[in-house]
């Protein structure tokens, strides 16, 4: 057994005996000694083993403190984002007790590290996905949204479920407002595929749970659209995605005009739709000094935090240019 393994074993024994404060302090002292020596691997091993043991013992404060210190060491040691480094962080994240206040700061610091030492401008998608999924399980929809919108290809399904469960606690006519919370963030980050997937899953749950809606399936050789006779804005979202894939600026303007009264009733979509019009249809909007994704953060994610950027390395959303096909807006 190595010196580090012996240290961790001794502290784990103290933790099992309920000597949480003593174990926490000694682990910090030992880790700090290795940090001063710039022995990053030893420091990280001490912090990881100690933090995991404390978290599993239900000591979220002490364990969370060591987690934060570990991310700090990741930064000082210029540790790259990779399977091993991410794996340790995710193991710690999953071990946090529910509602532990330190967890949110740990997630934020973890994302900041992945921005600096990884390939993605807004943080590693896998870290976002796991964090968002855990927040969803703990009924924290705002935090879940913030991370799942920047997650992996599996995130749209999780985000659609979050929004649908949230919707079931509201009035039945508000379905589109919750569906949009899954669709708009992906559109605003240039992720059309995930936007389509999220709406498809939300629609499926909506129709299967509400047989009385009288949903009509309109199919063609190139697309399938669900028409909701009593939920016009659900129709708008479906046609919006179709227009982005095949339409042009005139079709988008026609679509927005047709549903203008319903959009006005929502009262929160104007900025998002203006940005979507510019991003996909080249319809310029006056610049107000706020970046595109500041708006997304404040409107859809409750404000605060850094402005989201596209989650693909060096990728930028491209304007869709295609002749507008005939589309029945009803």
């Amino acid at each position: 057994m190595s010196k580090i393994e012996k240290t961790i074993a001794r502290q784990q024994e103290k933790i099992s005996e309920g000597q949480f404060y003593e174990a926490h302090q000694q682990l910090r002292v030992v880790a700090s000694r290795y940090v001063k020596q710039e022995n990053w691997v030893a420091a990280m091993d001490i912090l990881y083993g100690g933090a995991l043991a404390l978290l599993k013992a239900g000591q979220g404060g002490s364990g969370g403190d060591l987690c934060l210190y570990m991310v700090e060491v990741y930064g000082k040691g210029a540790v790259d984002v990779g399977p091993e480094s991410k794996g340790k962080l995710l193991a710690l994240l999953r071990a946090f007790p529910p509602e532990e206040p330190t967890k949110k700061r740990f997630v934020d610091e973890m994302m900041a590290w992945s921005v600096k030492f990884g390939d993605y401008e807004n943080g590693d998608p896998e870290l976002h996905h796991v964090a968002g999924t855990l927040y969803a399980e703990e009924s924290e929809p705002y935090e879940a949204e913030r991370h799942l919108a920047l997650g992996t290809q599996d995130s749209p399904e999780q985000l659609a479920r979050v929004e649908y469960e949230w919707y079931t606690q509201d009035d039945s006519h508000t379905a589109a407002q919750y569906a949009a919370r899954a669709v708009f963030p992906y559109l605003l980050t240039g992720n059309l595929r995930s936007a389509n997937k999220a709406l498809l899953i939300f629609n499926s749950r909506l129709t299967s749970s509400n047989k009385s809606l009288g949903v009509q399936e309109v199919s063609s050789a190139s697309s399938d659209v669900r028409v909701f006779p009593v939920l016009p804005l659900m129709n708008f979202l479906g046609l919006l995605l179709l227009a982005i894939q095949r339409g042009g600026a005139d079709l988008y303007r026609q679509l927005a005009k047709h549903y203008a009264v319903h959009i006005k009733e929502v009262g929160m979509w104007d900025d998002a739709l203006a940005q979507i019009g510019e991003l996909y249809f080249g319809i310029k909007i006056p610049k107000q000094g706020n970046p595109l994704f500041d708006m997304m953060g404040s409107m859809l994610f409750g404000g605060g935090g850094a402005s989201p950027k596209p989650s693909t390395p060096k990728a930028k959303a491209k304007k869709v240019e295609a002749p507008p096909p005939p589309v029945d807006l009803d």
Side-chain angles (χ1 to χ4, degrees):
M1 184 180 290
S2 69
K3 183 178 179 180
I4 293 175
E5 290 172 334
K6 290 179 181 178
T7 299
I8 295 174
R10 282 197 302 271
Q11 301 311 317
Q12 286 178 332
E13 185 177 349
K14 287 186 177 181
I15 291 169
S16 65
E17 295 172 352
Q19 300 181 50
F20 306 121
Y21 178 79
E22 292 82 356
H24 171 239
Q25 292 300 307
Q26 290 184 24
L27 285 163
R28 241 191 175 281
V29 168
V30 174
S32 296
R33 189 179 305 139
Y34 284 122
V35 168
K36 289 179 181 179
Q37 298 171 4
E38 297 189 358
N39 187 342
W40 311 119
V41 173
M44 289 184 290
D45 286 344
I46 290 288
L47 291 168
Y48 173 71
L52 192 60
L54 284 166
L55 291 173
K56 288 183 176 180
Q59 300 301 301
S62 298
D65 175 68
L66 296 185
C67 288
L68 291 170
Y69 194 7
M70 181 171 162
V71 179
E72 182 183 335
V73 173
Y74 269 25
K76 289 181 176 179
V79 177
D80 288 332
V81 177
E84 183 179 358
S85 56
K86 286 196 299 184
K88 289 183 177 180
L89 294 178
L90 292 177
L92 293 174
L93 179 58
R94 292 186 176 102
F96 267 84
E99 301 181 1
E100 167 54 45
T102 315
K103 180 167 73 173
K104 185 177 184 301
R105 185 182 168 195
F106 174 61
V107 170
D108 290 343
E109 295 293 332
M110 179 173 67
M111 296 305 172
W113 161 76
S114 74
V115 168
K116 187 172 183 179
F117 296 100
D119 297 326
Y120 294 87
E121 290 183 296
N122 205 53
D124 184 82
E126 184 183 3
L127 297 181
H128 277 298
H129 177 72
V130 174
T133 300
L134 290 174
Y135 280 127
E137 292 172 355
E138 296 172 10
S139 300
E140 294 277 359
Y142 288 111
E143 293 298 325
E145 285 178 327
R146 189 162 70 95
H147 293 288
L148 291 172
L150 299 166
T152 67
Q153 62 182 2
D154 296 322
S155 298
E157 181 174 1
Q158 183 65 55
L159 181 55
R161 288 176 178 175
V162 168
E163 302 301 354
Y164 186 79
E165 291 303 319
W166 204 1
Y167 156 65
T168 59
Q169 302 170 36
D170 206 338
D171 296 330
S172 59
H173 70 275
T174 63
Q177 297 179 40
Y178 291 90
R181 296 181 75 95
V183 172
F184 286 171
Y186 288 124
L187 290 182
L188 291 170
T189 52
N191 192 343
L192 179 59
R193 180 187 296 272
S194 290
N196 274 297
K197 183 176 181 180
L199 184 61
L200 177 63
I201 293 168
F202 189 97
N203 282 348
S204 296
R205 297 200 66 178
L206 182 62
T207 54
S208 64
S209 302
N210 300 273
K211 302 296 184 182
S212 62
L213 285 176
V215 179
Q216 303 168 18
E217 301 281 348
V218 179
S219 300
S220 68
S222 58
S223 63
D224 295 311
V225 177
R226 291 181 180 179
V227 177
F228 297 81
V230 297
L231 297 172
L233 286 180
M234 290 300 298
N235 301 331
F236 170 77
L237 292 175
L239 291 170
L240 173 63
L241 293 178
L242 191 61
I244 288 172
Q245 294 170 78
R246 297 188 176 87
D250 290 341
L251 177 60
Y252 177 72
R253 290 189 182 99
Q254 183 184 2
L255 184 63
K257 182 178 179 180
H258 185 83
Y259 289 96
V261 173
H262 302 292
I263 293 170
K264 185 176 180 180
E265 289 176 354
V266 174
M268 298 186 300
W269 289 9
D270 290 348
D271 287 342
L273 291 176
Q275 299 288 2
I276 289 169
E278 181 173 83
L279 186 62
Y280 294 97
F281 302 101
I283 301 173
K284 299 298 182 181
I285 57 175
K287 298 301 180 182
Q288 302 297 325
N290 291 326
L292 164 63
F293 300 112
D294 280 348
M295 178 280 301
M296 188 184 80
S298 62
M299 190 192 79
L300 298 179
F301 301 140
S307 302
K309 301 176 184 176
S311 290
T312 52
K314 309 301 181 184
K316 293 184 179 179
K318 297 181 179 179
K319 186 181 74 173
V320 177
E321 295 183 350
V327 177
D328 186 352
L329 296 180
D330 293 318

